[in-house]
Amino acid sequence: MISYTPGTWGVGFIFSLVGSVFPKAAVWAVPNALLAVGLLLNRKAHVVADLEMESMEGVADVWSSYTLVLAFLLVFRSNQAFTRFWEGTTSTAAVHSMWTNAAGTLMSFSSQEPEKLDQVRRFQHLAVRLLSLLFCSAMQDVCQMEDDSMEIIDPRGINAASLRYFKKASVEERPEILIQWLYRAVVDAQKNGILVAAPPCLNRAFMEISRGRVMLQNIRVLSDMPFPFPYAQMITTMLIVHWVVMPLLASQLIESVFWCGTVCFVVTLVLWSLLYIALQIDQPFGDDHTDLPVKDTMKQFNQSLLTMMRPEAQLPPKFGIAALGDKPNLMRSWSTQ
């Protein structure tokens, strides 16, 4: 994900090439402009006979309609790609939030009895490791990266047989295995008195895990289902036809060499840029500059789990009413420092 600052005038970032589609679009735009200029110079030098202007009557209007339809399809394609990008972003954030909430629920429902302290700590360590592995496995399932290694909370302590079974499972099966392990661990903990909440209250943890599972399936659909082939084929074919015909018409309808090349360059650059924008953001689960920062999200998830594991975070603070005095001032300035 590219973090950028528009600046005071809102244009300072336009010169950045990192994540930009302009270089790829220019590969099509520059030859198109040069071809148009060459054809115009060729016509002016009478190397080939001029097309009779009568035969060109109405062509400009028809070509404008063709370009308008192509631009509409490209804008539609970009909108669909952005919708998929935004759904992928919000769904990933939802999974992160739901499974973090599940961890917090399990921590808050843990017994505070001193004689169960060792069992509680073992359960909590197991839960955060399974959740860390779950989020990592879920992201590896949906992402398409050359290096899909991610940081997890150290799984040492989990019995070796279970880890061997987990490693032998396919990438698609791993999240399902971990969710089942979590369900079973919670049921056993409640049965042994490690979790003291009543079953209806404890059901919240199950709900958060299962809701995250549903959101993960939505992410899988976005990752596995491409943009419909007929649309993609038609748009790309129309772009190639436009690239071929544009310099031919421009060289016949425009007399200025400068404007002939400039118009072809700008129009071609814009149209192909729209296509490459759509292709770039259509699948946000990768390692391109504009894709989601999955590995950073994984680190944040682990940090949230480790924060909840701290004893200070699991015990609510004490409050002394005497500190307010006789005339308490309930408003106080507070900063992040």
Side-chain angles (χ1 to χ4, degrees):
M1 179 65 69
I2 299 175
S3 234
Y4 63 92
T5 303
T8 304
W9 301 100
V11 296
F13 63 97
I14 66 174
F15 302 103
S16 174
L17 295 180
V18 178
S20 175
V21 298
F22 287 154
K24 287 192 289 187
V27 171
W28 295 90
V30 171
N32 191 267
L34 294 176
L35 180 59
V37 170
L39 289 173
L40 177 57
L41 294 175
N42 193 32
R43 179 173 69 85
K44 287 190 173 187
H46 300 288
V47 175
V48 295
D50 286 351
L51 292 174
E52 296 183 4
M53 294 309 295
E54 292 81 0
S55 65
M56 301 295 293
E57 186 175 353
V59 173
D61 296 333
V62 174
W63 185 246
S64 297
S65 300
Y66 179 92
T67 304
L68 181 62
V69 171
L70 176 57
F72 174 81
L73 289 173
L74 285 169
V75 171
F76 169 76
R77 175 75 174 90
S78 297
N79 285 338
Q80 293 300 308
F82 179 75
T83 299
R84 290 165 60 89
F85 178 86
W86 190 247
E87 286 183 2
T89 302
T90 54
S91 296
T92 302
V95 172
H96 181 289
S97 176
M98 291 169 186
W99 288 346
T100 302
N101 287 341
T105 301
L106 295 176
M107 300 294 175
S108 62
F109 289 164
S110 296
S111 174
Q112 297 294 325
E113 297 179 11
E115 61 271 18
K116 290 188 179 295
L117 180 60
D118 184 60
Q119 291 178 287
V120 168
R121 296 301 289 174
R122 284 205 304 269
F123 168 74
Q124 291 181 349
H125 276 280
L126 174 63
V128 298
R129 280 159 175 77
L130 291 180
L131 283 168
S132 179
L133 266 174
L134 174 58
F135 193 80
C136 176
S137 299
M139 293 299 99
Q140 289 173 337
D141 182 16
V142 299
C143 291
Q144 302 170 1
M145 299 184 293
E146 293 183 5
D147 178 16
D148 64 354
S149 59
M150 301 183 193
E151 290 186 3
I152 61 171
I153 298 177
D154 191 350
R156 285 182 299 177
I158 300 177
N159 62 300
S162 296
L163 286 178
R164 284 196 300 270
Y165 170 74
F166 175 76
K167 291 179 180 179
K168 289 180 181 178
S170 66
V171 175
E172 294 80 10
E173 294 173 335
R174 289 178 179 180
E176 309 301 329
I177 293 171
L178 289 164
I179 289 174
Q180 188 63 30
W181 283 352
L182 275 167
Y183 285 165
R184 190 70 228 179
V186 172
V187 171
D188 291 344
Q190 200 273 337
K191 180 181 178 181
N192 296 328
I194 299 172
L195 298 175
V196 296
C201 298
L202 191 59
N203 187 51
R204 178 176 177 81
F206 289 102
M207 288 181 60
E208 293 291 0
I209 295 173
S210 62
R211 287 175 61 204
R213 185 182 198 174
V214 172
M215 296 303 298
L216 174 60
Q217 188 60 35
N218 293 339
I219 298 174
R220 281 174 175 165
V221 171
L222 293 175
S223 178
D224 296 340
M225 298 298 292
F227 186 75
F229 173 77
Y231 266 117
Q233 184 186 46
M234 174 59 73
I235 291 173
T236 304
T237 302
M238 290 183 67
L239 267 173
I240 293 175
V241 171
H242 187 279
W243 188 92
V244 173
V245 176
M246 184 68 183
L248 297 174
L249 290 180
S251 64
Q252 297 298 322
L253 299 176
I254 301 176
E255 294 297 325
S256 169
V257 173
F258 172 78
W259 286 114
C260 180
T262 301
V263 169
C264 288
F265 176 82
V266 172
V267 173
T268 305
L269 182 74
V270 170
L271 294 179
W272 283 91
S273 292
L274 287 173
L275 176 67
Y276 285 128
I277 289 172
L279 294 176
Q280 193 158 292
I281 67 175
D282 191 61
Q283 293 286 353
F285 304 104
D287 40 20
D288 291 338
H289 292 293
T290 52
D291 287 336
L292 299 180
V294 176
K295 294 187 177 183
D296 291 340
T297 304
M298 183 74 238
K299 292 179 181 179
Q300 294 171 6
F301 184 76
N302 291 331
Q303 188 59 50
S304 297
L305 295 178
L306 293 176
T307 298
M308 287 186 285
M309 280 289 295
R310 296 173 184 168
E312 299 85 354
Q314 296 190 32
L315 294 176
K318 306 297 182 182
F319 182 75
I321 193 69
L324 298 178
D326 295 333
K327 296 180 180 181
N329 180 11
L330 298 181
M331 305 304 294
R332 181 67 60 89
S333 175
W334 190 268
S335 70
T336 58
Q337 303 300 323

